Amino acid sequence: MTTSTSTTPTEKTGARTDEAAALIGDARERIDALDDRIIGLIQERMAVSAVIQEARISSGGRRVNLAREMEVLGHYRDALGKPGTALAMTMLELCRGRI
């Protein structure tokens, strides 16, 4: 006797109906596309941040401007709540020290 190891869309999504599974599948595709765009934007931000850091360092300044980072943290916190601060910290960490 042969058993199938493939999963159905309903099993894959955890939905209980085919309609819900289809909706979840479509929404996950949108999320994946959004994630790709977000990653691209973060990579673009990293590149812009590197330009700023290079200009600051070459003019005799410090690599990081803590006052500016606090502005960014506040902006994310105001827009997204406390988890926004953690998200901003991660993003700032990604953007620091690339030079």
Side-chain angles (χ1 to χ4, degrees):
M1 177 173 12
T2 306
T3 59
S4 175
T5 58
S6 65
T7 59
T8 67
T10 305
E11 292 170 332
K12 187 175 181 179
T13 63
R16 295 190 179 230
T17 66
D18 290 339
E19 295 81 18
L23 178 74
I24 291 167
D26 291 345
R28 284 182 177 171
E29 285 180 20
R30 288 182 57 207
I31 286 174
D32 290 345
L34 288 167
D35 285 344
D36 288 342
R37 288 173 46 199
I38 291 166
I39 289 167
L41 288 170
I42 291 172
Q43 289 170 331
E44 183 178 347
R45 190 188 193 288
M46 290 167 66
V48 172
S49 181
V51 169
I52 291 169
Q53 289 176 48
E54 185 175 311
R56 191 181 300 119
I57 291 168
S58 68
S59 71
R62 298 179 61 149
R63 178 176 54 87
V64 175
N65 181 334
L66 295 178
R68 172 62 180 151
E69 288 196 357
M70 293 305 294
E71 289 176 19
V72 172
L73 291 170
H75 180 68
Y76 274 71
R77 182 191 61 245
D78 292 346
L80 302 172
K82 185 177 178 182
T85 304
L87 177 63
M89 285 296 299
T90 299
M91 183 192 58
L92 290 169
E93 183 179 340
L94 285 167
C95 293
R96 283 189 209 122
R98 299 291 179 183
I99 299 194

